[in-house]
Amino acid sequence: GAGVSQTPSNKVTEKGKYVELRCDPISGHTALYWYRQSLGQGPEFLIYFQGTGAADDSGLPNDRFFAVRPEGSVSTLKIQRTERGDSAVYLCASSLNPSGGYNEQFFGPGTRLTVL
Amino acid sequence: DAKTTQPPSMDCAEGRAANLPCNHSTISGNEYVYWYRQIHSQGPQYIIHGLKNNETNEMASLIITEDRKSSTLILPHATLRDTAVYYCIVGRAGNNRKLIWGLGTSLAVNP
């Protein structure tokens, strides 16, 4: 079946601009995660959705970052007033239901964001 | 900060077993050990996880020491496609969103 998809695959923007990154999770997966990965580093947790609600947004670096998942499926990560330091690969992952036992996270290919 | 320590890089000959170590000396009793890998320019891929007992699946084996302070991921017959960064992560079941990713081990499988 289809895996997690992310669009666009690459995004180049100018400092100060607004960007939206989209994630389509695996159908039926209730949990959705956003991560950010800088070059040579492991993924850094940003936010986790269970259904439509953000169950944990403790990883968002500041209030310029916001994410939504209005219908419990597709999610959009929004970054306002982008800064050069926001340049990274933004990864999305989904899992069936993380409560209780462990559910593996399925990752998308990521969106490479470059802020000039 | 990451709660695991891994060597930054390793080499392995194609067809041989790759043994990737991980130190997690501060692991708590209710924390699992998870392994993911990331092939260049792709998203991470789940490999295996375990709590106390050794685990095996179609991809790899996970050997956890009795004191649980370290573990080894074993790829029994490494292929060129196993070249990737391997991440060892500890975290509580049911709370896997809080997995803290370190720098991982960059494994190069050589022909």
Side-chain angles (χ1 to χ4, degrees), chain A residues 33 35 37 40-43 45 48 56 58 91 95 98-105 107-109, chain B residues 32 34 36 38 41-46 49 87 92-103:
Chain A
Y33 314 78
Y35 295 84
Q37 187 172 27
Q41 304 293 313
F45 169 81
Y48 151 68
D56 185 346
S58 62
L91 294 163
S95 67
S99 62
Y102 177 77
N103 289 125
E104 65 181 279
Q105 297 183 20
F107 283 80
Chain B
Y32 285 68
Y34 305 97
Y36 279 77
Q38 188 171 24
S41 297
Q42 297 183 21
Q45 176 192 23
Y46 167 82
H49 77 281
Y87 294 96
R92 287 185 289 121
N95 193 26
N96 61 79
R97 63 192 178 275
K98 284 295 191 182
L99 299 179
I100 305 299
W101 301 65
L103 300 178

Side-chain angles (χ1 to χ4, degrees), chain A:
Chain A
V4 177
S5 63
Q6 293 186 245
T7 53
S9 56
N10 281 283
K11 177 68 177 179
V12 180
T13 190
E14 293 180 344
K15 179 176 178 294
K17 299 290 188 182
Y18 168 82
V19 296
E20 289 189 351
L21 312 179
R22 176 187 169 107
C23 172
D24 282 82
I26 293 173
S27 178
H29 280 194
T30 60
L32 185 145
Y33 314 78
W34 282 100
Y35 295 84
R36 178 169 69 175
Q37 187 172 27
S38 300
L39 190 62
Q41 304 293 313
E44 173 193 8
F45 169 81
L46 295 177
I47 187 169
Y48 151 68
F49 287 89
Q50 180 58 39
T52 60
D56 185 346
D57 64 358
S58 62
L60 294 178
N62 51 60
D63 61 6
R64 295 187 298 105
F65 288 74
F66 189 71
V68 295
R69 194 186 186 200
E71 298 180 356
S73 178
V74 171
S75 176
T76 304
L77 178 66
K78 309 180 180 191
I79 309 174
Q80 299 177 321
R81 305 182 303 281
T82 53
E83 300 177 356
R84 293 193 179 88
D86 298 335
S87 296
V89 175
Y90 288 81
L91 294 163
C92 176
S94 68
S95 67
L96 271 174
N97 182 352
S99 62
Y102 177 77
N103 289 125
E104 65 181 279
Q105 297 183 20
F106 294 83
F107 283 80
T111 293
R112 181 175 299 279
L113 175 66
T114 303
V115 182
L116 301 177

Side-chain angles (χ1 to χ4, degrees), chain B residues 59-94:
Chain B
M59 290 183 68
S61 295
L62 174 60
I63 308 298
I64 303 174
T65 58
E66 191 170 344
D67 64 7
R68 303 211 319 126
K69 293 185 177 182
S70 65
S71 60
T72 301
L73 179 75
I74 301 172
L75 308 178
H77 306 286
T79 70
L80 298 179
R81 291 187 297 179
D82 291 322
T83 293
V85 177
Y86 287 76
Y87 294 96
C88 168
I89 310 159
V90 297
R92 287 185 289 121

